[in-house]
Amino acid sequence: GGYATPVPLTIGGERCLAIFSRQSLVAVKAAAGQEVWSYPWKTSYDVNAADPIVAGDKLFISSGYNRGATLLKLDGPVPEKVWENKNMRNHFNTCVLWQGHLYGPDDSGLRCLAFDTGELKWTDREFRKGSLMIADGKLVALSERGELIIAEPSPAAFKPISRTQILTGKCWTMPVLSNGQIYCRNAVGDVVCVDVSGK
């Protein structure tokens, strides 16, 4: 395994799974596990940890250790490369796709890329290898050093709405939003709950 979670997708009208294994991206039929196709993607230490992102007939993958990212088109019998570059290198945490742009933790910080072209829009280097999610049209991000950031997703620039230091140490775990509470954790197991319900 390459650490990523299998992601469902449809190929030729059939339910399949995209599995980002240690040396390739593999599509298998969900019912029987039969391989549909395999796309080679080798990285240092066989680490492909970020989940694939499927949008229509396109699929995005990214890996750290300076490997980079690619966008694949899935409308034929095998994936066709649309673009490949090193503008996004997800070490372990996955990007989010919002309104045609990818937002995610690159090896050098939080970045925004155009989904269709891979063009780099901006980088926030203070973020480092943190994690993020999107909720209610806002980025909910936790930097590697424990800063919780709520930001407007915009390809024009990094636009924080609010930010506060809530943890110390290394923070690689994705924040969790539930019932108006954001839960964040650091590497030693400290957990902080932040109330964002507005009550």
Side-chain angles (χ1 to χ4, degrees), residues 103-132:
Y103 300 87
D106 174 72
D107 281 345
S108 64
L110 182 62
R111 285 190 162 181
C112 174
L113 260 61
F115 182 69
D116 287 337
T117 66
E119 178 189 358
L120 177 63
K121 297 296 185 176
W122 51 259
T123 303
D124 178 69
R125 296 192 183 281
E126 291 182 21
F127 191 77
R128 301 182 71 186
K129 294 178 187 173
S131 60
L132 77 163

Side-chain angles (χ1 to χ4, degrees), residues 57-187:
D57 65 349
K58 293 188 177 74
L59 189 150
F60 169 83
I61 53 173
S62 177
S63 301
Y65 298 104
N66 208 34
R67 178 59 173 96
T70 191
L71 183 68
L72 304 173
K73 193 167 176 60
L74 306 177
D75 62 351
V78 294
E80 177 187 336
K81 181 167 61 178
V82 177
W83 57 260
E84 180 178 334
N85 61 39
K86 294 186 179 183
N87 289 342
M88 185 66 76
R89 298 159 298 171
N90 295 146
H91 195 81
F92 27 65
N93 287 314
T94 307
C95 290
V96 295
L97 174 60
W98 180 255
Q99 297 181 346
H101 290 85
L102 292 158
Y103 300 87
D106 174 72
D107 281 345
S108 64
L110 182 62
R111 285 190 162 181
C112 174
L113 260 61
F115 182 69
D116 287 337
T117 66
E119 178 189 358
L120 177 63
K121 297 296 185 176
W122 51 259
T123 303
D124 178 69
R125 296 192 183 281
E126 291 182 21
F127 191 77
R128 301 182 71 186
K129 294 178 187 173
S131 60
L132 77 163
M133 60 174 289
I134 195 156
D136 196 26
K138 304 288 186 291
L139 296 173
V140 179
L142 182 64
S143 77
E144 185 176 48
R145 293 178 177 152
E147 185 180 28
L148 180 64
I149 305 163
I150 309 299
E152 197 75 45
S154 169
F158 181 47
K159 298 184 176 182
I161 298 167
S162 65
R163 55 196 313 164
T164 185
Q165 191 73 36
I166 62 167
L167 283 165
T168 58
K170 192 175 290 183
C171 299
W172 285 349
T173 306
M174 185 183 299
V176 174
L177 173 65
S178 178
N179 299 316
Q181 317 288 321
I182 300 175
Y183 298 86
C184 299
R185 176 186 178 275
N186 66 13

